[in-house]
Amino acid sequence: AKGLNGSRLFEDKHKCRMLKIHDHIDIFPDRQVVAMTGDGTNDAPALKNADVGFAMGIAGTQIAKDAANIILLDDNFASIVQAAKWGRNVFDSIQKFLQFQLTVNISILTLNVICAVVNIHCPLTVLHLLWLNL
């Protein structure tokens, strides 16, 4: 499924309004991520509804901290930029790891299926398979 990448759902204003009212779903045409910073009780609903909510750790209220996804311990906005860099790095690393594992395991599976269909001895032993998955 392509999701909203090829969809024109965001052009139908009535459908977007109905999704917002009934299902609490906001449609963004370019898959924007909404981030919110806050430190007070009045910021809690916005922190909760944002994709990523940042609460201030020193000056923030407990309600804002409970509603947020990330709590800034030093109340410094430069920490948000650093957190975004770290988050993107982690996401990229996980994506590369999964791509590598899928490639290796699909290749091994293909080799084993071909060996089973042709009825020949598989060149990879159990120990080889364990080493390839490390």
Side-chain angles (χ1 to χ4, degrees):
K2 292 185 342 183
L4 291 177
N5 288 342
S7 174
R8 294 284 177 200
L9 178 64
F10 63 91
E11 291 177 352
D12 186 1
K13 301 298 181 194
H14 177 68
K15 181 72 173 173
C16 289
R17 191 171 37 251
M18 288 296 126
L19 284 172
K20 173 76 173 164
I21 293 170
H22 295 298
D23 299 325
H24 305 294
I25 297 174
D26 289 322
I27 304 295
F28 290 103
D30 55 352
R31 296 181 4 189
Q32 298 173 359
V33 176
V34 176
M36 170 68 187
T37 59
D39 61 351
T41 305
N42 59 339
D43 296 328
L47 289 169
K48 193 71 168 172
N49 288 328
D51 292 323
V52 180
F54 292 96
M56 301 301 166
I58 298 171
T61 62
Q62 188 62 38
I63 295 172
K65 291 177 190 177
D66 290 340
N69 300 104
I70 299 172
I71 300 171
L72 301 176
L73 296 177
D74 58 355
D75 288 0
N76 188 356
F77 285 106
S79 300
I80 297 173
V81 175
Q82 194 66 25
K85 287 179 184 177
W86 277 86
R88 288 177 183 160
N89 189 13
V90 168
F91 180 78
D92 289 341
S93 298
I94 291 171
Q95 191 175 18
K96 288 175 185 176
F97 171 76
L98 289 176
Q99 181 181 3
F100 171 76
Q101 284 296 318
L102 284 173
T103 303
V104 169
N105 287 325
I106 288 173
S107 301
I108 291 171
L109 179 68
T110 304
L111 178 67
N112 284 331
V113 167
I114 290 173
C115 290
V117 168
V118 179
N119 200 16
I120 60 173
H121 178 42
C122 187
L124 297 175
T125 64
V126 174
L127 192 58
H128 289 128
L129 296 176
L130 288 173
W131 275 104
L132 286 172
N133 275 314
L134 280 181

